[in-house]
Amino acid sequence: DLPSQFRSLVARHSEGFDVNAQAEKTRLRIDRDDLRFSVSASREGYVYVLLAGPDGSLVQLYPNDKAKNNHIGAGETLRLPGASWPLKASDPPGPEHFFVLVAAEPRSFALWSSEKDPSYGFLTLPAQGPAGVPASPSWLLGQPDCGHANCAADYGAAVFSVEAVK
């Protein structure tokens, strides 16, 4: 399942690349409460946020069409979602698991996306992994997209969960 794949990637992060991600509230009322969380990293990098929903869906929340600059400085704290893309808790109720990746160089998930949300540009990803890619959680790190042949593979990661309730 995705939450255990997320945890295995956190456990295998690059040495000295620590990421902290924390939800402001861990219980959100559907159609009433806004999701808010913070991310910090010990090293400079690029932030990616994947959400595994209670319905088995997998979505890249960040970066998106309303928030394209996903760079974070070492020791900096990033508060998400940004003012231009507030997120209310929505159906279905249940646990929502967030995978926060901070990569040394840009990555991309676009090749594996089956759909793009028209409002924010969130990418829908294949929860079972992309077809033709070996079954391993490492696909959840995206593909190198740094503009040269030897993209750094260093990364840090964190997970957190919230409960969406009626």
Side-chain angles (χ1 to χ4, degrees):
D1 71 327
L2 283 167
S4 63
Q5 291 183 50
F6 291 170
R7 287 189 295 276
S8 84
L9 290 171
V10 171
R12 295 200 317 247
H13 76 277
S14 305
E15 194 172 323
F17 208 138
D18 300 315
V19 172
N20 184 25
Q22 199 168 339
E24 202 173 88
K25 289 184 190 169
T26 55
R27 189 177 168 88
L28 299 175
R29 292 166 304 172
I30 292 170
D31 296 326
R32 294 185 55 190
D33 294 334
D34 285 338
L35 169 70
R36 290 192 187 93
F37 59 97
S38 60
V39 177
S40 60
S42 63
R43 287 177 51 185
E44 174 182 26
Y46 297 85
V47 180
Y48 301 87
V49 179
L50 304 182
L51 163 61
D55 57 357
S57 63
L58 180 63
V59 175
Q60 178 187 323
L61 288 182
Y62 184 78
N64 59 58
D65 288 350
K66 303 261 185 194
K68 294 179 191 284
N69 180 6
N70 61 332
H71 183 265
I72 190 171
E76 197 174 290
T77 297
L78 185 61
R79 300 203 186 288
L80 295 172
S84 64
W85 56 286
L87 288 181
K88 275 218 185 308
S90 59
D91 280 320
E96 297 185 334
H97 303 285
F98 294 81
F99 177 66
V100 179
L101 168 69
V102 180
E105 292 197 87
R107 317 281 299 167
S108 175
F109 294 87
L111 186 67
W112 299 321
S113 173
S114 58
E115 199 178 310
K116 189 173 184 179
D117 164 78
S119 313
Y120 296 127
F122 301 145
L123 299 180
T124 299
L125 300 173
Q128 304 310 315
V133 173
S136 111
S138 54
W139 78 271
L140 292 162
L141 299 175
Q143 297 177 298
D145 190 22
C146 66
H148 57 83
N150 298 312
C151 297
D154 289 9
Y155 76 93
V159 291
F160 69 91
S161 298
V162 300
E163 186 78 23
V165 297
K166 286 277 188 201

